[in-house]
Amino acid sequence: MKRESGILLPVFSLPGPYGVGCFSKYARRWIDCLAASGQSYWQILPLGPTGYGDSPYQSFSTFAGNLYLIDPETLCENGVLTRDECEAVSPDDHPERINYGKLYQTREPLLRRAFEREYKNLEDKPDYQEFINQNQSWLDDYALFMAIKHYFGNIAWTQWPEEYQTRQPSALDSMRELLKPDIEFRKYAQYLFFRQWNDLLNYAHAKNIKIIGDIPIYVAMDSADTWANPELFQFYINHDNNNINHGFKKLLSPVAVAGCPPDGFAADGQLWGNPLYQWDYHKKTGYHWWMERLKHCFRLYDVLRIDHFRGFDEYYAIPAVNGEIPETAAGGHWESGPGMDFFKSMEAHLGRREVIAEDLGYVTDSVRKLVSDTGFPGMKVLQFAFDSRDTGSAADYLPHNYIENCVVYTGTHDNETVAGWLKNIPESERQAARDYLCDHYTPDDELYQPFAAMAMRSRARLCVLPLQDWLGLDNSCRLNRPSTLGTNWQWRIRENQLFDDTLWNEIASKTRRYGRER
């Protein structure tokens, strides 16, 4: 198999003047650097609209795009916004951190100005009408969901009046009439998002760069997906005759929610709170909703990383108590997922597609077998190879134990940066890493360099390194600290850091040296 490499960098972490990385000229310059240094892939994080906590893994829709990623400068060039308008609402006060509060207050009003100027002409725009028609299966529900959510002060849909929770036809019809301008704006914003993303995707392909996208296995509780399709999830329902006859399951509260059990990294486990799937129902439909979701993803990405892949084998269910979500994940249990039946259906519907299985964490023999049976490459994270808390599987992450059909990372979006990790681990673990590297002379603050080289020269067919680990950045540049709120998903790279010839010459040199040059 051909040896290749790529770099992990979220779109929102790109530099630029408007407070957040977006589909801008800086994204194109970044792609140019990837191509010139011999890379084959750009790996990003989910692109969906974010809510409380700003996590791309807790989105208001699994199909929609995040309007923060729309490039205002492109709208200026298209004549629907002025540069003064853009600069007035989105000054870049802190170029290394994203101020989500400010984005929330300013970005949507800015896009509404563009919408007001284009609204009368949208019916005459063939590409807009084509977008509406092609995405109607999810777009109508999403736009209505967000408009009603805004109308009720952005509270969760489970707190809306019952007639809107349960999607009573007369109630929704009245909202479609009352909120028509807002609904149309939501559709227009999605049109802008996908038009700009497709332009950027085409640019990447012209440079022979493929995009690795990321799909969370679960959807958010407060999302258009759960509101529009409650039958897909493990919710309590009422069983009155009317609902049975119409096949409609009225949501009252979740039966159980998703998470991870207690381990050496989290004494109480991880409580994610996502609703769990009603897998029996999905199977009866031929996994129709999932197939539409995957088809949508493969329009956006060349390769799909499936987060929490082991949930297709077994998933951890944390029971709700009288409909209330518990405070910790300690009381959960494992239940069987759809297994290989799901992936056979996927291949039958979509053909053979490129997938990366995120098989990290507690991995059982049955999970290993599922990954092997699918043929998808699993993931190897070098930091895990030297973690004394995980002695049972640490050896799996040592490069000499890799098979070729895997993807190696120094760390993921959930890990410390390598420089931060090396500083914080016990001396015994740091010495174990040095012994493995055969490197006793490199100063601690430069040890990230041979660590990156170790990943690049490993047997893994594909090596993907977070940009922070090429630069040796510390934990102030970390993307996420799991189970915390308030400081995550904020890091951005400075323009002079990113477009530094010394950095890209080093990346190109190691890429050639270890046979991964495109």
Side-chain angles (χ1 to χ4, degrees), residues 9-11 14-16 21-34 42 69 71 196-197 200-201 203-204 207 209 211 498-499:
L9 181 71
V11 175
L14 287 164
C22 57
F23 306 144
S24 65
K25 63 183 180 183
Y26 299 95
R28 286 166 173 76
R29 285 182 65 189
W30 156 253
I31 290 169
D32 291 342
C33 291
L34 291 172
W42 173 16
L69 304 182
D71 177 36
Q196 289 194 8
W197 171 249
L200 187 62
L201 183 64
Y203 186 87
K207 298 287 183 174
I209 297 296
I211 304 298
L498 183 58
F499 304 119

PDB file of all heavy atoms in Angstrom, residues 9-11 14-16 21-34 42 69 71 196-197 200-201 203-204 207 209 211 498-499:
ATOM      1  N   LEU A   9      -5.900  19.823  11.181  1.00  0.00           N
ATOM      2  CA  LEU A   9      -6.114  21.216  11.577  1.00  0.00           C
ATOM      3  C   LEU A   9      -7.578  21.562  11.334  1.00  0.00           C
ATOM      4  O   LEU A   9      -8.046  21.507  10.193  1.00  0.00           O
ATOM      5  CB  LEU A   9      -5.219  22.162  10.762  1.00  0.00           C
ATOM      6  CG  LEU A   9      -5.339  23.646  11.116  1.00  0.00           C
ATOM      7  CD1 LEU A   9      -4.728  23.941  12.481  1.00  0.00           C
ATOM      8  CD2 LEU A   9      -4.695  24.523  10.048  1.00  0.00           C
ATOM      9  N   PRO A  10      -8.331  21.909  12.373  1.00  0.00           N
ATOM     10  CA  PRO A  10      -9.731  22.291  12.152  1.00  0.00           C
ATOM     11  C   PRO A  10      -9.817  23.546  11.296  1.00  0.00           C
ATOM     12  O   PRO A  10      -8.929  24.410  11.329  1.00  0.00           O
ATOM     13  CB  PRO A  10     -10.244  22.585  13.573  1.00  0.00           C
ATOM     14  CG  PRO A  10      -9.267  21.928  14.491  1.00  0.00           C
ATOM     15  CD  PRO A  10      -7.951  21.957  13.798  1.00  0.00           C
ATOM     16  N   VAL A  11     -10.878  23.662  10.529  1.00  0.00           N
ATOM     17  CA  VAL A  11     -11.088  24.874   9.734  1.00  0.00           C
ATOM     18  C   VAL A  11     -11.106  26.092  10.638  1.00  0.00           C
ATOM     19  O   VAL A  11     -10.516  27.138  10.317  1.00  0.00           O
ATOM     20  CB  VAL A  11     -12.399  24.774   8.924  1.00  0.00           C
ATOM     21  CG1 VAL A  11     -12.671  26.085   8.186  1.00  0.00           C
ATOM     22  CG2 VAL A  11     -12.337  23.616   7.935  1.00  0.00           C
ATOM     23  N   LEU A  14      -7.791  28.043  11.474  1.00  0.00           N
ATOM     24  CA  LEU A  14      -7.036  28.795  10.475  1.00  0.00           C
ATOM     25  C   LEU A  14      -6.963  30.275  10.859  1.00  0.00           C
ATOM     26  O   LEU A  14      -7.840  30.785  11.566  1.00  0.00           O
ATOM     27  CB  LEU A  14      -7.697  28.654   9.109  1.00  0.00           C
ATOM     28  CG  LEU A  14      -7.541  27.302   8.411  1.00  0.00           C
ATOM     29  CD1 LEU A  14      -8.557  27.179   7.278  1.00  0.00           C
ATOM     30  CD2 LEU A  14      -6.119  27.120   7.879  1.00  0.00           C
ATOM     31  N   PRO A  15      -5.939  30.992  10.388  1.00  0.00           N
ATOM     32  CA  PRO A  15      -5.868  32.429  10.662  1.00  0.00           C
ATOM     33  C   PRO A  15      -6.836  33.205   9.777  1.00  0.00           C
ATOM     34  O   PRO A  15      -7.446  32.658   8.856  1.00  0.00           O
ATOM     35  CB  PRO A  15      -4.411  32.770  10.327  1.00  0.00           C
ATOM     36  CG  PRO A  15      -4.034  31.790   9.268  1.00  0.00           C
ATOM     37  CD  PRO A  15      -4.774  30.519   9.620  1.00  0.00           C
ATOM     38  N   GLY A  16      -6.939  34.495  10.048  1.00  0.00           N
ATOM     39  CA  GLY A  16      -7.826  35.359   9.274  1.00  0.00           C
ATOM     40  C   GLY A  16      -8.349  36.487  10.128  1.00  0.00           C
ATOM     41  O   GLY A  16      -8.284  36.427  11.358  1.00  0.00           O
ATOM     42  N   GLY A  21     -11.375  30.883  11.946  1.00  0.00           N
ATOM     43  CA  GLY A  21     -10.969  30.352  10.656  1.00  0.00           C
ATOM     44  C   GLY A  21     -12.174  29.995   9.811  1.00  0.00           C
ATOM     45  O   GLY A  21     -13.203  29.547  10.340  1.00  0.00           O
ATOM     46  N   CYS A  22     -12.091  30.207   8.499  1.00  0.00           N
ATOM     47  CA  CYS A  22     -13.257  29.961   7.642  1.00  0.00           C
ATOM     48  C   CYS A  22     -12.783  29.574   6.246  1.00  0.00           C
ATOM     49  O   CYS A  22     -11.602  29.321   6.017  1.00  0.00           O
ATOM     50  CB  CYS A  22     -14.170  31.191   7.605  1.00  0.00           C
ATOM     51  SG  CYS A  22     -13.359  32.700   7.039  1.00  0.00           S
ATOM     52  N   PHE A  23     -13.711  29.510   5.301  1.00  0.00           N
ATOM     53  CA  PHE A  23     -13.420  29.070   3.934  1.00  0.00           C
ATOM     54  C   PHE A  23     -12.836  30.242   3.138  1.00  0.00           C
ATOM     55  O   PHE A  23     -13.414  30.710   2.159  1.00  0.00           O
ATOM     56  CB  PHE A  23     -14.683  28.552   3.265  1.00  0.00           C
ATOM     57  CG  PHE A  23     -15.409  27.474   4.032  1.00  0.00           C
ATOM     58  CD1 PHE A  23     -16.802  27.408   4.021  1.00  0.00           C
ATOM     59  CD2 PHE A  23     -14.714  26.525   4.756  1.00  0.00           C
ATOM     60  CE1 PHE A  23     -17.473  26.409   4.701  1.00  0.00           C
ATOM     61  CE2 PHE A  23     -15.374  25.523   5.454  1.00  0.00           C
ATOM     62  CZ  PHE A  23     -16.757  25.463   5.436  1.00  0.00           C
ATOM     63  N   SER A  24     -11.673  30.687   3.545  1.00  0.00           N
ATOM     64  CA  SER A  24     -11.113  31.944   3.077  1.00  0.00           C
ATOM     65  C   SER A  24      -9.869  31.725   2.233  1.00  0.00           C
ATOM     66  O   SER A  24      -9.456  30.594   1.965  1.00  0.00           O
ATOM     67  CB  SER A  24     -10.750  32.810   4.283  1.00  0.00           C
ATOM     68  OG  SER A  24      -9.696  32.157   5.013  1.00  0.00           O
ATOM     69  N   LYS A  25      -9.222  32.829   1.855  1.00  0.00           N
ATOM     70  CA  LYS A  25      -7.959  32.754   1.110  1.00  0.00           C
ATOM     71  C   LYS A  25      -6.873  32.091   1.954  1.00  0.00           C
ATOM     72  O   LYS A  25      -5.939  31.501   1.413  1.00  0.00           O
ATOM     73  CB  LYS A  25      -7.519  34.145   0.677  1.00  0.00           C
ATOM     74  CG  LYS A  25      -7.210  35.098   1.830  1.00  0.00           C
ATOM     75  CD  LYS A  25      -6.845  36.483   1.309  1.00  0.00           C
ATOM     76  CE  LYS A  25      -6.524  37.440   2.441  1.00  0.00           C
ATOM     77  NZ  LYS A  25      -6.235  38.816   1.947  1.00  0.00           N
ATOM     78  N   TYR A  26      -6.997  32.176   3.281  1.00  0.00           N
ATOM     79  CA  TYR A  26      -6.020  31.520   4.152  1.00  0.00           C
ATOM     80  C   TYR A  26      -6.159  30.008   4.082  1.00  0.00           C
ATOM     81  O   TYR A  26      -5.168  29.286   4.191  1.00  0.00           O
ATOM     82  CB  TYR A  26      -6.176  32.017   5.589  1.00  0.00           C
ATOM     83  CG  TYR A  26      -5.951  33.500   5.717  1.00  0.00           C
ATOM     84  CD1 TYR A  26      -7.022  34.387   5.694  1.00  0.00           C
ATOM     85  CD2 TYR A  26      -4.666  34.020   5.834  1.00  0.00           C
ATOM     86  CE1 TYR A  26      -6.825  35.755   5.792  1.00  0.00           C
ATOM     87  CE2 TYR A  26      -4.454  35.394   5.929  1.00  0.00           C
ATOM     88  CZ  TYR A  26      -5.538  36.257   5.908  1.00  0.00           C
ATOM     89  OH  TYR A  26      -5.329  37.604   5.992  1.00  0.00           O
ATOM     90  N   ALA A  27      -7.379  29.524   3.892  1.00  0.00           N
ATOM     91  CA  ALA A  27      -7.583  28.085   3.699  1.00  0.00           C
ATOM     92  C   ALA A  27      -6.929  27.630   2.405  1.00  0.00           C
ATOM     93  O   ALA A  27      -6.342  26.529   2.343  1.00  0.00           O
ATOM     94  CB  ALA A  27      -9.082  27.766   3.687  1.00  0.00           C
ATOM     95  N   ARG A  28      -6.988  28.448   1.380  1.00  0.00           N
ATOM     96  CA  ARG A  28      -6.361  28.080   0.113  1.00  0.00           C
ATOM     97  C   ARG A  28      -4.836  28.118   0.220  1.00  0.00           C
ATOM     98  O   ARG A  28      -4.140  27.252  -0.330  1.00  0.00           O
ATOM     99  CB  ARG A  28      -6.872  29.009  -0.996  1.00  0.00           C
ATOM    100  CG  ARG A  28      -8.313  28.677  -1.405  1.00  0.00           C
ATOM    101  CD  ARG A  28      -8.948  29.770  -2.242  1.00  0.00           C
ATOM    102  NE  ARG A  28     -10.254  29.342  -2.742  1.00  0.00           N
ATOM    103  CZ  ARG A  28     -11.360  29.282  -2.007  1.00  0.00           C
ATOM    104  NH1 ARG A  28     -11.322  29.620  -0.725  1.00  0.00           N
ATOM    105  NH2 ARG A  28     -12.504  28.876  -2.528  1.00  0.00           N
ATOM    106  N   ARG A  29      -4.316  29.099   0.927  1.00  0.00           N
ATOM    107  CA  ARG A  29      -2.865  29.141   1.138  1.00  0.00           C
ATOM    108  C   ARG A  29      -2.408  27.920   1.939  1.00  0.00           C
ATOM    109  O   ARG A  29      -1.334  27.360   1.689  1.00  0.00           O
ATOM    110  CB  ARG A  29      -2.477  30.429   1.877  1.00  0.00           C
ATOM    111  CG  ARG A  29      -2.519  31.678   1.026  1.00  0.00           C
ATOM    112  CD  ARG A  29      -2.088  32.889   1.819  1.00  0.00           C
ATOM    113  NE  ARG A  29      -0.674  32.809   2.237  1.00  0.00           N
ATOM    114  CZ  ARG A  29      -0.115  33.665   3.092  1.00  0.00           C
ATOM    115  NH1 ARG A  29      -0.837  34.652   3.621  1.00  0.00           N
ATOM    116  NH2 ARG A  29       1.164  33.533   3.413  1.00  0.00           N
ATOM    117  N   TRP A  30      -3.199  27.513   2.901  1.00  0.00           N
ATOM    118  CA  TRP A  30      -2.901  26.323   3.696  1.00  0.00           C
ATOM    119  C   TRP A  30      -2.853  25.081   2.806  1.00  0.00           C
ATOM    120  O   TRP A  30      -1.937  24.259   2.905  1.00  0.00           O
ATOM    121  CB  TRP A  30      -3.953  26.193   4.793  1.00  0.00           C
ATOM    122  CG  TRP A  30      -4.181  24.828   5.356  1.00  0.00           C
ATOM    123  CD1 TRP A  30      -5.256  24.025   5.127  1.00  0.00           C
ATOM    124  CD2 TRP A  30      -3.335  24.120   6.274  1.00  0.00           C
ATOM    125  NE1 TRP A  30      -5.141  22.853   5.837  1.00  0.00           N
ATOM    126  CE2 TRP A  30      -3.961  22.885   6.556  1.00  0.00           C
ATOM    127  CE3 TRP A  30      -2.117  24.401   6.884  1.00  0.00           C
ATOM    128  CZ2 TRP A  30      -3.423  21.934   7.407  1.00  0.00           C
ATOM    129  CZ3 TRP A  30      -1.569  23.459   7.750  1.00  0.00           C
ATOM    130  CH2 TRP A  30      -2.213  22.239   7.995  1.00  0.00           C
ATOM    131  N   ILE A  31      -3.826  24.956   1.912  1.00  0.00           N
ATOM    132  CA  ILE A  31      -3.841  23.836   0.973  1.00  0.00           C
ATOM    133  C   ILE A  31      -2.605  23.875   0.070  1.00  0.00           C
ATOM    134  O   ILE A  31      -1.996  22.837  -0.217  1.00  0.00           O
ATOM    135  CB  ILE A  31      -5.147  23.846   0.156  1.00  0.00           C
ATOM    136  CG1 ILE A  31      -6.330  23.479   1.058  1.00  0.00           C
ATOM    137  CG2 ILE A  31      -5.064  22.888  -1.031  1.00  0.00           C
ATOM    138  CD1 ILE A  31      -7.691  23.703   0.422  1.00  0.00           C
ATOM    139  N   ASP A  32      -2.211  25.065  -0.354  1.00  0.00           N
ATOM    140  CA  ASP A  32      -1.001  25.203  -1.164  1.00  0.00           C
ATOM    141  C   ASP A  32       0.221  24.666  -0.414  1.00  0.00           C
ATOM    142  O   ASP A  32       1.076  23.989  -1.009  1.00  0.00           O
ATOM    143  CB  ASP A  32      -0.757  26.670  -1.525  1.00  0.00           C
ATOM    144  CG  ASP A  32      -1.790  27.226  -2.492  1.00  0.00           C
ATOM    145  OD1 ASP A  32      -2.492  26.427  -3.143  1.00  0.00           O
ATOM    146  OD2 ASP A  32      -1.893  28.465  -2.588  1.00  0.00           O
ATOM    147  N   CYS A  33       0.309  24.969   0.871  1.00  0.00           N
ATOM    148  CA  CYS A  33       1.437  24.500   1.687  1.00  0.00           C
ATOM    149  C   CYS A  33       1.413  22.980   1.828  1.00  0.00           C
ATOM    150  O   CYS A  33       2.467  22.326   1.755  1.00  0.00           O
ATOM    151  CB  CYS A  33       1.400  25.155   3.067  1.00  0.00           C
ATOM    152  SG  CYS A  33       1.760  26.918   3.074  1.00  0.00           S
ATOM    153  N   LEU A  34       0.233  22.410   2.030  1.00  0.00           N
ATOM    154  CA  LEU A  34       0.127  20.958   2.110  1.00  0.00           C
ATOM    155  C   LEU A  34       0.632  20.314   0.826  1.00  0.00           C
ATOM    156  O   LEU A  34       1.399  19.346   0.860  1.00  0.00           O
ATOM    157  CB  LEU A  34      -1.331  20.550   2.363  1.00  0.00           C
ATOM    158  CG  LEU A  34      -1.936  20.872   3.731  1.00  0.00           C
ATOM    159  CD1 LEU A  34      -3.433  20.572   3.718  1.00  0.00           C
ATOM    160  CD2 LEU A  34      -1.256  20.073   4.841  1.00  0.00           C
ATOM    161  N   TRP A  42      -5.741  16.568   4.196  1.00  0.00           N
ATOM    162  CA  TRP A  42      -6.058  17.550   5.237  1.00  0.00           C
ATOM    163  C   TRP A  42      -7.188  16.945   6.060  1.00  0.00           C
ATOM    164  O   TRP A  42      -8.268  16.685   5.540  1.00  0.00           O
ATOM    165  CB  TRP A  42      -6.485  18.881   4.614  1.00  0.00           C
ATOM    166  CG  TRP A  42      -6.985  19.909   5.599  1.00  0.00           C
ATOM    167  CD1 TRP A  42      -6.815  19.915   6.955  1.00  0.00           C
ATOM    168  CD2 TRP A  42      -7.743  21.085   5.287  1.00  0.00           C
ATOM    169  NE1 TRP A  42      -7.407  21.026   7.514  1.00  0.00           N
ATOM    170  CE2 TRP A  42      -7.978  21.768   6.512  1.00  0.00           C
ATOM    171  CE3 TRP A  42      -8.217  21.637   4.098  1.00  0.00           C
ATOM    172  CZ2 TRP A  42      -8.690  22.963   6.577  1.00  0.00           C
ATOM    173  CZ3 TRP A  42      -8.932  22.836   4.159  1.00  0.00           C
ATOM    174  CH2 TRP A  42      -9.162  23.491   5.384  1.00  0.00           C
ATOM    175  N   LEU A  69     -18.281  29.413   9.634  1.00  0.00           N
ATOM    176  CA  LEU A  69     -17.218  29.068   8.693  1.00  0.00           C
ATOM    177  C   LEU A  69     -17.403  29.720   7.324  1.00  0.00           C
ATOM    178  O   LEU A  69     -16.543  29.595   6.453  1.00  0.00           O
ATOM    179  CB  LEU A  69     -17.134  27.550   8.531  1.00  0.00           C
ATOM    180  CG  LEU A  69     -16.930  26.748   9.826  1.00  0.00           C
ATOM    181  CD1 LEU A  69     -16.804  25.263   9.516  1.00  0.00           C
ATOM    182  CD2 LEU A  69     -15.705  27.233  10.595  1.00  0.00           C
ATOM    183  N   ASP A  71     -17.113  32.537   4.741  1.00  0.00           N
ATOM    184  CA  ASP A  71     -16.114  33.600   4.624  1.00  0.00           C
ATOM    185  C   ASP A  71     -16.769  34.935   4.266  1.00  0.00           C
ATOM    186  O   ASP A  71     -17.314  35.090   3.165  1.00  0.00           O
ATOM    187  CB  ASP A  71     -15.096  33.222   3.547  1.00  0.00           C
ATOM    188  CG  ASP A  71     -14.056  34.307   3.317  1.00  0.00           C
ATOM    189  OD1 ASP A  71     -13.674  34.965   4.300  1.00  0.00           O
ATOM    190  OD2 ASP A  71     -13.622  34.481   2.165  1.00  0.00           O
ATOM    191  N   GLN A 196     -19.568  27.684  -0.579  1.00  0.00           N
ATOM    192  CA  GLN A 196     -18.170  28.018  -0.280  1.00  0.00           C
ATOM    193  C   GLN A 196     -17.349  26.771   0.021  1.00  0.00           C
ATOM    194  O   GLN A 196     -16.187  26.671  -0.389  1.00  0.00           O
ATOM    195  CB  GLN A 196     -18.103  29.000   0.894  1.00  0.00           C
ATOM    196  CG  GLN A 196     -18.576  30.392   0.551  1.00  0.00           C
ATOM    197  CD  GLN A 196     -18.191  31.418   1.609  1.00  0.00           C
ATOM    198  OE1 GLN A 196     -17.443  31.128   2.543  1.00  0.00           O
ATOM    199  NE2 GLN A 196     -18.699  32.636   1.459  1.00  0.00           N
ATOM    200  N   TRP A 197     -17.939  25.805   0.757  1.00  0.00           N
ATOM    201  CA  TRP A 197     -17.192  24.585   1.053  1.00  0.00           C
ATOM    202  C   TRP A 197     -16.884  23.807  -0.232  1.00  0.00           C
ATOM    203  O   TRP A 197     -15.767  23.309  -0.413  1.00  0.00           O
ATOM    204  CB  TRP A 197     -17.950  23.697   2.035  1.00  0.00           C
ATOM    205  CG  TRP A 197     -17.296  22.342   2.177  1.00  0.00           C
ATOM    206  CD1 TRP A 197     -17.781  21.146   1.745  1.00  0.00           C
ATOM    207  CD2 TRP A 197     -16.012  22.066   2.756  1.00  0.00           C
ATOM    208  NE1 TRP A 197     -16.894  20.133   2.033  1.00  0.00           N
ATOM    209  CE2 TRP A 197     -15.789  20.673   2.650  1.00  0.00           C
ATOM    210  CE3 TRP A 197     -15.025  22.853   3.347  1.00  0.00           C
ATOM    211  CZ2 TRP A 197     -14.628  20.053   3.117  1.00  0.00           C
ATOM    212  CZ3 TRP A 197     -13.866  22.244   3.818  1.00  0.00           C
ATOM    213  CH2 TRP A 197     -13.676  20.861   3.697  1.00  0.00           C
ATOM    214  N   LEU A 200     -14.006  25.309  -1.980  1.00  0.00           N
ATOM    215  CA  LEU A 200     -12.744  24.988  -1.313  1.00  0.00           C
ATOM    216  C   LEU A 200     -12.360  23.533  -1.546  1.00  0.00           C
ATOM    217  O   LEU A 200     -11.181  23.215  -1.770  1.00  0.00           O
ATOM    218  CB  LEU A 200     -12.853  25.267   0.186  1.00  0.00           C
ATOM    219  CG  LEU A 200     -11.567  25.138   1.006  1.00  0.00           C
ATOM    220  CD1 LEU A 200     -10.525  26.137   0.524  1.00  0.00           C
ATOM    221  CD2 LEU A 200     -11.843  25.322   2.490  1.00  0.00           C
ATOM    222  N   LEU A 201     -13.337  22.647  -1.518  1.00  0.00           N
ATOM    223  CA  LEU A 201     -13.083  21.230  -1.784  1.00  0.00           C
ATOM    224  C   LEU A 201     -12.533  21.037  -3.196  1.00  0.00           C
ATOM    225  O   LEU A 201     -11.572  20.279  -3.398  1.00  0.00           O
ATOM    226  CB  LEU A 201     -14.377  20.439  -1.598  1.00  0.00           C
ATOM    227  CG  LEU A 201     -14.309  18.922  -1.755  1.00  0.00           C
ATOM    228  CD1 LEU A 201     -13.429  18.304  -0.676  1.00  0.00           C
ATOM    229  CD2 LEU A 201     -15.714  18.315  -1.692  1.00  0.00           C
ATOM    230  N   TYR A 203     -10.904  23.213  -4.889  1.00  0.00           N
ATOM    231  CA  TYR A 203      -9.551  23.756  -4.890  1.00  0.00           C
ATOM    232  C   TYR A 203      -8.567  22.727  -4.343  1.00  0.00           C
ATOM    233  O   TYR A 203      -7.475  22.535  -4.905  1.00  0.00           O
ATOM    234  CB  TYR A 203      -9.500  25.033  -4.054  1.00  0.00           C
ATOM    235  CG  TYR A 203      -8.169  25.755  -4.123  1.00  0.00           C
ATOM    236  CD1 TYR A 203      -7.913  26.670  -5.131  1.00  0.00           C
ATOM    237  CD2 TYR A 203      -7.164  25.510  -3.185  1.00  0.00           C
ATOM    238  CE1 TYR A 203      -6.686  27.334  -5.219  1.00  0.00           C
ATOM    239  CE2 TYR A 203      -5.935  26.156  -3.261  1.00  0.00           C
ATOM    240  CZ  TYR A 203      -5.710  27.068  -4.271  1.00  0.00           C
ATOM    241  OH  TYR A 203      -4.484  27.706  -4.360  1.00  0.00           O
ATOM    242  N   ALA A 204      -8.938  22.061  -3.250  1.00  0.00           N
ATOM    243  CA  ALA A 204      -8.081  21.023  -2.675  1.00  0.00           C
ATOM    244  C   ALA A 204      -7.849  19.899  -3.678  1.00  0.00           C
ATOM    245  O   ALA A 204      -6.723  19.419  -3.845  1.00  0.00           O
ATOM    246  CB  ALA A 204      -8.703  20.481  -1.388  1.00  0.00           C
ATOM    247  N   LYS A 207      -5.362  20.539  -6.251  1.00  0.00           N
ATOM    248  CA  LYS A 207      -3.989  20.441  -5.724  1.00  0.00           C
ATOM    249  C   LYS A 207      -3.658  19.011  -5.292  1.00  0.00           C
ATOM    250  O   LYS A 207      -2.626  18.771  -4.663  1.00  0.00           O
ATOM    251  CB  LYS A 207      -3.835  21.379  -4.527  1.00  0.00           C
ATOM    252  CG  LYS A 207      -4.035  22.851  -4.848  1.00  0.00           C
ATOM    253  CD  LYS A 207      -2.863  23.415  -5.623  1.00  0.00           C
ATOM    254  CE  LYS A 207      -3.027  24.904  -5.883  1.00  0.00           C
ATOM    255  NZ  LYS A 207      -1.836  25.498  -6.520  1.00  0.00           N
ATOM    256  N   ILE A 209      -5.081  17.250  -2.995  1.00  0.00           N
ATOM    257  CA  ILE A 209      -5.238  17.086  -1.547  1.00  0.00           C
ATOM    258  C   ILE A 209      -6.632  16.529  -1.275  1.00  0.00           C
ATOM    259  O   ILE A 209      -7.635  17.085  -1.737  1.00  0.00           O
ATOM    260  CB  ILE A 209      -5.052  18.425  -0.810  1.00  0.00           C
ATOM    261  CG1 ILE A 209      -3.636  18.961  -1.012  1.00  0.00           C
ATOM    262  CG2 ILE A 209      -5.362  18.269   0.675  1.00  0.00           C
ATOM    263  CD1 ILE A 209      -2.531  18.097  -0.434  1.00  0.00           C
ATOM    264  N   ILE A 211      -9.628  15.372   1.519  1.00  0.00           N
ATOM    265  CA  ILE A 211     -10.139  15.813   2.816  1.00  0.00           C
ATOM    266  C   ILE A 211     -10.592  14.612   3.637  1.00  0.00           C
ATOM    267  O   ILE A 211     -11.389  13.788   3.158  1.00  0.00           O
ATOM    268  CB  ILE A 211     -11.320  16.790   2.648  1.00  0.00           C
ATOM    269  CG1 ILE A 211     -10.925  17.980   1.782  1.00  0.00           C
ATOM    270  CG2 ILE A 211     -11.825  17.251   4.019  1.00  0.00           C
ATOM    271  CD1 ILE A 211      -9.812  18.840   2.331  1.00  0.00           C
ATOM    272  N   LEU A 498       1.922  29.853  10.651  1.00  0.00           N
ATOM    273  CA  LEU A 498       1.456  28.885   9.669  1.00  0.00           C
ATOM    274  C   LEU A 498       2.247  28.979   8.361  1.00  0.00           C
ATOM    275  O   LEU A 498       2.644  27.958   7.798  1.00  0.00           O
ATOM    276  CB  LEU A 498      -0.028  29.095   9.393  1.00  0.00           C
ATOM    277  CG  LEU A 498      -0.679  28.106   8.426  1.00  0.00           C
ATOM    278  CD1 LEU A 498      -0.533  26.677   8.914  1.00  0.00           C
ATOM    279  CD2 LEU A 498      -2.161  28.437   8.221  1.00  0.00           C
ATOM    280  N   PHE A 499       2.468  30.185   7.905  1.00  0.00           N
ATOM    281  CA  PHE A 499       3.116  30.357   6.607  1.00  0.00           C
ATOM    282  C   PHE A 499       4.599  30.685   6.793  1.00  0.00           C
ATOM    283  O   PHE A 499       5.097  31.723   6.346  1.00  0.00           O
ATOM    284  CB  PHE A 499       2.376  31.425   5.795  1.00  0.00           C
ATOM    285  CG  PHE A 499       0.910  31.110   5.629  1.00  0.00           C
ATOM    286  CD1 PHE A 499      -0.064  31.960   6.110  1.00  0.00           C
ATOM    287  CD2 PHE A 499       0.514  29.928   5.012  1.00  0.00           C
ATOM    288  CE1 PHE A 499      -1.414  31.661   5.961  1.00  0.00           C
ATOM    289  CE2 PHE A 499      -0.839  29.614   4.862  1.00  0.00           C
ATOM    290  CZ  PHE A 499      -1.797  30.476   5.342  1.00  0.00           C
TER     291      PHE A 499
END
